[in-house]
Amino acid sequence: MKHLNKLFVAMLLLAGLSSQAQDSNNPWALSFGVNAVDTRVSAASKLEEQFSQFFNVKSNWNILPSVSYLTVSKYVGDNFSFGVTGSVNKLSKYVQPSVPGLGYQVENPGDLNYYALDGVVNYSFMNLIKSKKLDPSAHVGGGYTWIGEDSHAGTVNAGLGLAYWFTETVGLSFRSTYKHSFEDVREDMPSHMQHFLGLTFKFGGSDRDGDGIYDKDDACPDNAGPKANKGCPDTDGDGVLDKDDTCPDVAGLAEFQGCPDTDADGVADKDDACPEVAGLKSMGGCPDTDGDGITDKSDKCPEVKGPKENAGCPWPDSDGDKVFDKDDKCPDVAGTVANNGCPEVSDEVVKKLNDYAKTILFDTAKASFQKQTFPVLQSITAILKEYPTAKFSIEGHTDGDGNDKTNQKLSEDRAAAVKGYLIDNGIAADRLTSAGFGESKPIDSNKTKAGKANNRRVEVKLVK
């Protein structure tokens, strides 16, 4: 029993090294169950007779009715695994060589204790037959066996096995091993067969997120996901894995890293200032119907081009002179661009003004107007209002009668009276100046009545 105790202690130490499985996912496995020892192969004189009663369990097999073997193995790659098996048994059936007329006899050698410790190199054919349940295998190896108190020797081993996997990690296994000893008598160590039947547990594969995909094959080992996605979740089901999805909770398009584009304008909703109305990428996903560079939502005139400074609306041009009201110094009167939207005073207009001015009549030697002059002054006022930015000089002149000083003052007073009337009737004061020249600039002879009448005059001149 001392060997049995040592054996199980050694096996438990090996089993405690890891809790992993017997393939590329689970590199460790643990098997245990019952074993049977058959000595017939050593008694048979012919090869064909060594296995002739292979399944003669009742007569030839020595079985200890309890858990009597333990195997710990590790997958090393390419369908190969390496393991160590420890087993115990009790030999109460020993097959003697055939005696003529009597055949093979089975005797009790004295209930000898049987102990074995074997190394096993196993090759699985499971991948070759493409099965997920049946796992045929072949194995070779060697070990050391003790029978009774005095017999012990090394053996060279080979055999076949078959496992049936109930699940990925739990299976029923059977293994038959031929253990060849170079000793021919029972007292030293006979060659024999040993059979193993038990349960095998694969274990050790790490699956941190519990999605059924081992961490080594799981592209997202900390987040559960389906096998179709290599273990990665796709919460919104849009075909873009959460790890690559900028919008993992809302179904979207791969071209936008999983984010939606509701209005299909090529701008993802998360970047679209107008996510429900198709627009331009250059405008942040918003439309610009009139193409003035201002989005419709900010454009007060979305269907007519206009500057940003006027909220997308065109500047008004009330008088239609092609000068915007904001720049037009005469927004209600059509003018020219060159004159800032105001009309330009032509020579014809100046002539018309002076034709009116010639008919202005004053009381004799006074600056007061005769009654019939007021319609003339009103006509002059109307013309000046047509040119609201033009500036004019009102000039007064007298005939040669009287002294120069008196005439000078009279001319000044009369020019000032015209200016005063125009201002009182709506002409801006800064547009008008007045001056008197007395009798110094006659346009006709002062020797005739008609000439003097021509010299007594008011002139309107454009100030440029």
Side-chain angles (χ1 to χ4, degrees):
M1 291 298 294
K2 62 180 182 180
H3 297 297
L4 178 63
N5 292 335
K6 293 178 179 178
L7 175 62
F8 270 97
V9 169
M11 296 307 295
L12 289 173
L13 286 173
L14 287 171
L17 291 177
S18 179
S19 301
Q20 310 295 313
Q22 170 109 23
D23 54 31
S24 59
N25 291 317
N26 299 294
W28 290 86
L30 180 67
S31 300
F32 59 87
V34 297
N35 78 91
V37 177
D38 182 0
T39 60
R40 180 177 174 80
V41 294
S42 180
S45 59
K46 297 179 180 180
L47 179 63
E48 61 270 19
E49 293 182 355
Q50 290 182 350
F51 302 99
S52 62
Q53 296 189 30
F54 183 84
F55 291 106
N56 192 343
V57 177
K58 183 176 181 180
S59 299
N60 299 341
W61 287 20
N62 296 274
I63 301 175
L64 193 64
S66 64
V67 175
S68 57
Y69 85 90
L70 179 68
T71 298
V72 177
S73 59
K74 186 178 188 299
Y75 182 78
V76 294
D78 295 328
N79 302 317
F80 283 98
S81 60
F82 173 78
V84 177
T85 298
S87 60
V88 298
N89 211 316
K90 188 176 287 292
L91 300 187
S92 59
K93 301 172 185 178
Y94 188 84
V95 182
Q96 295 287 359
S98 178
V99 176
L102 296 177
Y104 294 96
Q105 300 296 310
V106 179
E107 65 177 31
N108 187 339
D111 293 335
L112 299 176
N113 290 326
Y114 176 98
Y115 306 102
L117 183 63
D118 300 288
V120 181
V121 177
N122 190 77
Y123 182 82
S124 171
F125 296 97
M126 189 175 185
N127 290 338
L128 296 181
I129 67 173
K130 297 181 180 180
S131 172
K132 294 184 178 180
K133 296 292 185 180
L134 291 177
D135 184 7
S137 62
H139 60 272
V140 295
Y144 210 83
T145 303
W146 295 263
I147 297 178
E149 295 293 332
D150 300 318
S151 297
H152 50 85
T155 61
V156 176
N157 309 331
L160 299 173
L162 180 66
Y164 180 83
W165 296 104
F166 303 113
T167 67
E168 186 178 0
T169 58
V170 180
L172 178 67
S173 60
F174 176 78
R175 185 172 87 236
S176 287
T177 303
Y178 171 70
K179 305 177 79 169
H180 181 78
S181 171
F182 296 97
E183 305 292 341
D184 294 329
V185 296
R186 185 190 72 195
E187 289 77 14
D188 294 321
M189 179 59 61
S191 296
H192 58 281
M193 293 290 296
Q194 189 174 16
H195 313 291
F196 303 88
L197 176 66
L199 294 173
T200 299
F201 295 89
K202 295 180 180 182
F203 46 89
S206 177
D207 180 15
R208 294 197 298 270
D209 54 20
D211 58 4
I213 303 172
Y214 295 107
D215 290 349
K216 75 179 191 62
D217 299 319
D218 198 330
C220 303
D222 295 310
N223 297 288
K227 289 184 179 180
N229 294 339
K230 295 184 178 179
C232 289
D234 177 15
T235 302
D236 53 22
D238 60 3
V240 181
L241 303 182
D242 287 1
K243 69 184 183 68
D244 303 318
D245 199 329
T246 305
C247 304
D249 298 317
V250 182
L253 304 173
E255 62 183 295
F256 299 121
Q257 293 77 49
C259 290
D261 177 16
T262 302
D263 54 19
D265 60 1
V267 181
D269 288 358
K270 69 181 183 64
D271 302 319
D272 198 330
C274 303
E276 296 182 357
V277 182
L280 306 172
K281 288 184 179 180
S282 60
M283 305 299 289
C286 291
D288 177 17
T289 302
D290 56 17
D292 59 4
I294 303 169
T295 61
D296 288 0
K297 69 174 186 175
S298 302
D299 196 332
K300 290 185 177 180
C301 302
E303 296 181 356
V304 182
K305 289 185 178 182
K308 183 177 181 181
E309 295 77 12
N310 200 36
C313 291
W315 294 110
D317 179 14
S318 300
D319 54 18
D321 60 2
K322 297 183 180 181
V323 179
F324 296 134
D325 288 359
K326 70 182 184 66
D327 302 317
D328 197 332
K329 293 184 177 180
C330 303
D332 299 318
V333 181
T336 64
V337 174
N339 200 36
N340 299 315
C342 291
E344 296 190 42
V345 182
S346 64
D347 292 342
E348 291 78 5
V349 171
V350 173
K351 180 178 182 303
K352 187 174 182 180
L353 286 171
N354 283 292
D355 287 342
Y356 279 121
K358 288 179 182 178
T359 64
I360 297 174
L361 299 177
F362 296 93
D363 293 326
T364 303
K366 296 182 180 178
S368 57
F369 301 113
Q370 294 184 16
K371 184 177 180 181
Q372 64 268 35
T373 292
F374 289 107
V376 174
L377 292 173
Q378 291 172 0
S379 296
I380 293 174
T381 301
I383 293 174
L384 295 187
K385 286 183 177 178
E386 293 179 6
Y387 304 92
T389 60
K391 294 184 178 183
F392 297 89
S393 173
I394 311 299
E395 299 180 355
H397 300 273
T398 65
D399 59 21
D401 293 346
N403 60 58
D404 290 345
K405 185 175 180 180
T406 300
N407 287 337
Q408 177 63 35
K409 185 173 186 311
L410 180 61
S411 66
E412 291 176 357
D413 291 344
R414 287 180 172 178
V418 174
K419 174 184 173 184
Y421 179 90
L422 295 175
I423 292 173
D424 291 342
N425 286 270
I427 305 301
D430 61 355
R431 296 178 54 200
L432 301 173
T433 58
S434 64
F437 295 94
E439 59 184 78
S440 64
K441 293 184 177 182
I443 57 173
D444 204 345
S445 171
N446 280 313
K447 294 182 179 181
T448 65
K449 184 177 180 179
K452 291 179 180 180
N454 287 335
N455 287 333
R456 296 190 299 273
R457 69 192 186 278
V458 173
E459 292 182 350
V460 181
K461 291 187 177 180
L462 177 68
V463 178
K464 297 181 178 180

